[in-house]
C-alpha cells in the first residue's frame, strides 16, 4: 500500500513543491539545498473585511428581468441583470499568502554566500502521507544532511528539523518574507525570536502575526536583523506559528489595540520550544493518524517504487500504462489533503485548499460554490473524515446570516437566505463577477445546505441535525417565495443560469440567463426532500413540511431532450459549447441520486447519453470536470469509464506534486478523484448500500477497509478476480439496511455495535 510521494530533484516551482498543513496553517516545501523555501499560508488571511455589495436597484431589476425572460427577450434581460442585479462591487474578498519561510544553508565556512552551486549526492525529497511528514536528504561533501518538515495541529506550529551525520555542520540563516505588500513589521520580538505582522487591507480587514524561533544542539543561535542565525550546530529545529485577528479578535480586526493574535503566536512557538522535538513530532503523527488510519485501500499494484512520483505520473500520459499503486496513492493523497487542509475549527478548503502563493490568485482562490467547494467535500463522509466536513458548516452559518439580508434586499424576500456562485471567509452572499454565465445563480445556499443533511445521513448525529436544521429550513424557505409558475403552472427559478453554460435558441440568439434550468429544479427537489425528512426526524415543523410536499409536486422532474440527453434547460436548447466542463443537468445523478439505473432506468440511459455527448465534444478538459465525470460513470456502474476518466485525471490533469491541475492548480479535482475511487467501490444511493458497484477490471484483486456508508456503517470489502470475496459491515448506530452486490440484495437489521458479514 502506497503512502509516499518521492522525488530526486528539488522542486523547480510551486507545482513540484510538497504540501504540508494542520488544517489552518499550510506550507509548500521546495526542498532546496541552498536556499530553501517553505511557502506559508494561514487560512484566514483574506484580503480585507466584509463587503456590502448588494445592488440598490436589484428588486426593480428582478421584476424587469423576469418580465423580459418571460417574453423571450434574452439580450435585454441580460443587459438589465448586468446593470441592476449584479453586486455593485463585483467581487468578494480573496485568499492571500502569508509569506515565505526562507532558509539559507551554508556548507563550507561561515559567511560563505549561499548562492551558487553545491554538489550533492543521493538527493531525495519525500512526503510520507501516512505520517504527514516531509523529508529531504542529501550528501554534501562527506556530510549527510536530513530535514524533516511538518505542521502540527495539536502544537499549532510548523517545524523544520535539520540534522547531519557529523557534528557542528549545520549553518543557516532563516527569515520570513515574500508578501508583495511588505509586512508592517519584521524584527525580533524577544530573544531568538522574530515576528512579522501585517494587515490585509480595508478598515475592518484581517491582521496577522507569524513568529519564527528555533533551537539547536551544539553551536550557537541568535538573531541578526530580521533573521535567525544558527552556526556550527549538530542539529537544529525551526518553529513558525501564525495567528490572525479573524480567529483571535471576534472575527476581524475591529479593535486596533487588540493584539491578542500576536501574543498567541508567541505562545505557540514558546510551547513548541518547551517540548522535545521528538515528542512534538510523535504527538503530531499520533494526532494525524487518528484520522488517516481509518481507511486502507489496497489495489494490489505492482511495485513501482523505484520510480519517482513524477516519472510515474508522466507514464500515465500513455493510455496503456497501468499503475494501480499510483491510483492508490492518489486516493490516499486526497485523504491527506483533507486532513491537512480542513480540521475542526479551521476554514473550509478553498479553490487551492489552503496552499496559495499568489497575492491575487486565480479566481481569488475563493469558495466557488457552483461546484468546486462542494466537490472538495465529496469524500469527507464516504472516506470516514466526517469531522473534516465541519468547517463547511461553520462557513454556511455565516453565509446564512448574510444571505438573509441578501434575500430581503436583493429579492424582497423576508424568509430564508440566498447565496450566489461564490463566497468568501465572511460568508458573502451577493452575486460575484461581472459574468453573466455564472453571476445570477441563487442556488448555492441550497446546495451547501445539502451537505448538512448528508453529514447527518452518514453520522446519524441527531444533535448535529437539530443544531443545523435551520440552515436546511432557511435555504428552503427562500424558495417558497422565490419560485414562480411557468406557463404550465410548474414552479421554477427565474432568473438563473445553468452554471456556466451558454445556450442557442432556434433563432440563433445566444444567452445564459433563463427560467428554470434543470439543475435548479433538481437541487430544490433534493433540498425540499431533505427538509421534510429532517423535520420528521426532529419531530417539528409539520406544517412547513407539508407545504414543501405540496410544492414538490410542481417542481419539474428531469426530462429527456432531442439527443436522448437530460435536458439542461427548460427549453431543449443546443449548447454553444457541447463539450462544456459543467454538466449541471446531471446533478440528479451525482451528487444527488434522483437518477439511478435501478429506480429510473430511462433517465439513467439519458444521463449516459449526456456524458457521451459532452465527452465526444472534448469534455472533461479541466481537472475537476474530469473528476466529476468519473463519479457520474460510477453512478451508472460503468466501471471501464470510471477507470478511463481516472486515468486521464492522473495523466492529463495532475501536476508533478500530485495537485490537481485545472489548469492552473485547483484542488477540487483531487477530492473529486478520491471520491470517484470510493464511489467505484461503495455507493449509498436509492436507499441501498451497493458493494463494488463499478469495480474497474484493472483493479482485479484488492481490498478496502473503513469506508463509510449512510446509517453510520463502516465497511470493509475484499475482492478477487473482480468478484467480491467478503464484506464486513459494522453498524455504530444500528438500523435497517438494504445491501446489494451484483444482482443480489439482502435486507438486514443490525443492532448498535453489531456486525454483518457478506460472504
Ligand atoms: C468555475 C469553473 C471554472 C473554475 C472556476 C474556479 O467558474 O467553471 O472552471 O473552476 O469555477
Amino acid at each position: 500500500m502506497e503512502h509516499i510521494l518521492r522525488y530526486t530533484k528539488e522542486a523547480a516551482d510551486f507545482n513540484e513543491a510538497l504540501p504540508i498543513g494542520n488544517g489552518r496553517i499550510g506550507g509548500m516545501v521546495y526542498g532546496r539545498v541552498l536556499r530553501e523555501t517553505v511557502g506559508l499560508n494561514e487560512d484566514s488571511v483574506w484580503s480585507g473585511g466584509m463587503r456590502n455589495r448588494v445592488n440598490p436597484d436589484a428588486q426593480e431589476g428582478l421584476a424587469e428581468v423576469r418580465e423580459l425572460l418571460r417574453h423571450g427577450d434574452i439580450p435585454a434581460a441580460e443587459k438589465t441583470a448586468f446593470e441592476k442585479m449584479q453586486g455593485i462591487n463585483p467581487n468578494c474578498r480573496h485568499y492571500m499568502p502569508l509569506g515565505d519561510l526562507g532558509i539559507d544553508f551554508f556548507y563550507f565556512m561561515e559567511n560563505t554566500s549561499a548562492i551558487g552551486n553545491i554538489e550533492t549526492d543521493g538527493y531525495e525529497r519525500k512526503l510520507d502521507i501516512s505520517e504527514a511528514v516531509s523529508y529531504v536528504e542529501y550528501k554534501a561533501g562527506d556530510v549527510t544532511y536530513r530535514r524533516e518538515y511538518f505542521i502540527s495541529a495539536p502544537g499549532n506550529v510548523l517545524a523544520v528539523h535539520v540534522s547531519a551525520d557529523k557534528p557542528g555542520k549545520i549553518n543557516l540563516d532563516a527569515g520570513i518574507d515574500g508578501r508583495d505588500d511588505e509586512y508592517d513589521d519584521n524584527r525580533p520580538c524577544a530573544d531568538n525570536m522574530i515576528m512579522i505582522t501585517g494587515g490585509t487591507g480595508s478598515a475592518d480587514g484581517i491582521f496577522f502575526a507569524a513568529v519564527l524561533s528555533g533551537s539547536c544542539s551544539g553551536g550557537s543561535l541568535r538573531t541578526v536583523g530580521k533573521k535567525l542565525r544558527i552556526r556550527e550546530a549538530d542539529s537544529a529545529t525551526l518553529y513558525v506559528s501564525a495567528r490572525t485577528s479573524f480567529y483571535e479578535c471576534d472575527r476581524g480586526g475591529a479593535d486596533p489595540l487588540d493584539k491578542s493574535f500576536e501574543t498567541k503566536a508567541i505562545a505557540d512557538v514558546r510551547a513548541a520550544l518547551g517540548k522535545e522535538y521528538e515528542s512534538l513530532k510523535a504527538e503530531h503523527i499520533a494526532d494525524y493518524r487518528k484520522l488517516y488510519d481509518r481507511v486502507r485501500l489496497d489495489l494490489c499494484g505492482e511495485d513501482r517504487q523505484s520510480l519517482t512520483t513524477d516519472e510515474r505520473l508522466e507514464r500515465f500520459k500513455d493510455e496503456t500504462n497501468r499503475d494501480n499503486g499510483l491510483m492508490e496513492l492518489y486516493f490516499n493523497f486526497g485523504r491527506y489533503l483533507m486532513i491537512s487542509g480542513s480540521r475542526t475549527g479551521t476554514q473550509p478548503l478553498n479553490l487551492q485548499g489552503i496552499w496559495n502563493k499568489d497575492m491575487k490568485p486565480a479566481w481569488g482562490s475563493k469558495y466557488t460554490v457552483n461546484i468546486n467547494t462542494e466537490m472538495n467535500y465529496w469524500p469527507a463522509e464516504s472516506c470516514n473524515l466526517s469531522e473534516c466536513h465541519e468547517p463547511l458548516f461553520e462557513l454556511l452559518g455565516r453565509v446564512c446570516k448574510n444571505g438573509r439580508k441578501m434575500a430581503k434586499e436583493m429579492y424582497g424576500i423576508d424568509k430564508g437566505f440566498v447565496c450566489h456562485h461564490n463566497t468568501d471567509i465572511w460568508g458573502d452572499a451577493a452575486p460575484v463577477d461581472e459574468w453573466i454565465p455564472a453571476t445570477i445563480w441563487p442556488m448555492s445556499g441550497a446546495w451547501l445546505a445539502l451537505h448538512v443533511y448528508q453529514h447527518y445521513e452518514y453520522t446519524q448525529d441527531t444533535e448535529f441535525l437539530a443544531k443545523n436544521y435551520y440552515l436546511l429550513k432557511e435555504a428552503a424557505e427562500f424558495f417558497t417565495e422565490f419560485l414562480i409558475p411557468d406557463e404550465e403552472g410548474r414552479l421554477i427559478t427565474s432568473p438563473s443560469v445553468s452554471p456556466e453554460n451558454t445556450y442557442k435558441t432556434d433563432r440563433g440568439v445566444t444567452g445564459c440567463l433563463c427560467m428554470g434550468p434543470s439543475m435548479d429544479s433538481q437541487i430544490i427537489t433534493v433540498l425540499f426532500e431533505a427538509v421534510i425528512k429532517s423535520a420528521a426526524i426532529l419531530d417539528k415543523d409539520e406544517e412547513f413540511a407539508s407545504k414543501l410536499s405540496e410544492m414538490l409536486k410542481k417542481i419539474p422532474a428531469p426530462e429527456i431532450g432531442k439527443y436522448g440527453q437530460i435536458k439542461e434547460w427548460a427549453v431543449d436548447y443546443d449548447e454553444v459549447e457541447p463539450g462544456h466542463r459543467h454538466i449541471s443537468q446531471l446533478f440528479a445523478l451525482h451528487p444527488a441520486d434522483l437518477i439511478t439505473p435501478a429506480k429510473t432506468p430511462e433517465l439513467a440511459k439519458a444521463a449516459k447519453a449526456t456524458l457521451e455527448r459532452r465527452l465526444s465534444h472534448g469534455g472533461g478538459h479541466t481537472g475537476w470536470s474530469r473528476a466529476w465525470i468519473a463519479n457520474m460513470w460510477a453512478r451508472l456502474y460503468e466501471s471501464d469509464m470510471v477507470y478511463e476518466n481516472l486515468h486521464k485525471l492522473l495523466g492529463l490533469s495532475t501536476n508533478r506534486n500530485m495537485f490537481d491541475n485545472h489548469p492552473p492548480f485547483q484542488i477540487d479535482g483531487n477530492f473529486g478523484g478520491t471520491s470517484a475511487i470510493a464511489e467505484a467501490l461503495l455507493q449509498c444511493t436509492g436507499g441501498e448500500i451497493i458493494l463494488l458497484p463499478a469495480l474497474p477490471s484493472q483493479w482485479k484483486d484488492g481490498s478496502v477497509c473503513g469506508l463509510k456508508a449512510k446509517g453510520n456503517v463502516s465497511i470493509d470489502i475484499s475482492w478477487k478476480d473482480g468478484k467480491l470475496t467478503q464484506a464486513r459491515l459494522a453498524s455504530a448506530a444500528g438500523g435497517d439496511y438494504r445491501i446489494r452486490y451484483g444482482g443480489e440484495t439482502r435486507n438486514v437489521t443490525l443492532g448498535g455495535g453489531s456486525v454483518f458479514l457478506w460472504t
Side-chain angles (χ1 to χ4, degrees), residues 351 363 368 370-372 421 435 438 500 580-582 622 624 662 666 668:
L351 283 176
W363 290 291
T368 306
N370 64 6
I371 173 71
N372 316 82
H421 94 293
W435 200 52
E500 306 176 4
H580 199 269
R581 61 195 178 283
H582 287 260
T622 70
W624 67 259
H662 180 286
Q666 198 171 287
D668 39 19

Side-chain angles (χ1 to χ4, degrees), residues 267-311:
D268 290 339
V269 161
R270 289 227 158 101
L273 287 167
K275 288 182 184 160
E276 290 294 325
Y277 167 74
E278 287 304 334
S279 72
L280 191 90
K281 182 180 169 195
E283 179 191 44
H284 158 68
I285 293 173
D287 169 74
Y288 171 80
R289 289 186 61 173
K290 268 194 284 179
L291 296 166
Y292 185 80
D293 286 353
R294 288 178 186 168
V295 169
R296 279 200 319 277
L297 173 68
D298 185 0
L299 296 178
C300 297
E302 286 153 34
D303 186 4
R304 297 268 160 70
Q305 310 221 17
S306 59
L307 295 171
T308 58
T309 305
D310 44 349
E311 284 165 345

Side-chain angles (χ1 to χ4, degrees), residues 692-709:
L692 303 180
L695 182 70
S697 55
Q698 291 81 358
W699 303 346
K700 207 165 137 271
D701 303 324
S703 64
V704 66
C705 297
L707 289 182
K708 274 311 238 342

Side-chain angles (χ1 to χ4, degrees), residues 176-294:
I176 298 178
D177 238 317
R179 261 181 75 99
D180 296 348
D181 61 349
E182 297 175 347
Y183 299 106
D184 292 344
D185 214 352
N186 189 352
R187 66 174 67 244
C189 62
D191 282 352
N192 304 330
M193 202 175 272
I194 312 274
M195 178 156 71
I196 61 150
T197 55
T200 63
S202 93
D204 53 355
I206 294 163
F207 293 90
F208 57 81
V211 170
L212 163 68
S213 188
S215 64
C216 58
S217 72
S220 66
L221 180 149
R222 58 166 291 197
T223 56
V224 177
K226 58 178 183 176
K227 296 257 169 99
L228 193 68
R229 174 165 292 177
I230 292 175
R231 288 292 181 270
E232 294 179 8
D234 304 334
S235 70
T237 311
L238 302 174
Y239 294 111
V240 177
S241 65
R243 293 281 179 174
T244 73
S245 59
F246 182 83
Y247 284 108
E248 309 306 329
C249 310
D250 195 17
R251 296 279 182 242
D255 176 4
L257 297 177
D258 183 349
K259 300 282 185 213
S260 44
F261 57 97
E262 294 180 8
T263 323
K264 201 129 180 206
I266 293 171
D268 290 339
V269 161
R270 289 227 158 101
L273 287 167
K275 288 182 184 160
E276 290 294 325
Y277 167 74
E278 287 304 334
S279 72
L280 191 90
K281 182 180 169 195
E283 179 191 44
H284 158 68
I285 293 173
D287 169 74
Y288 171 80
R289 289 186 61 173
K290 268 194 284 179
L291 296 166
Y292 185 80
D293 286 353
R294 288 178 186 168

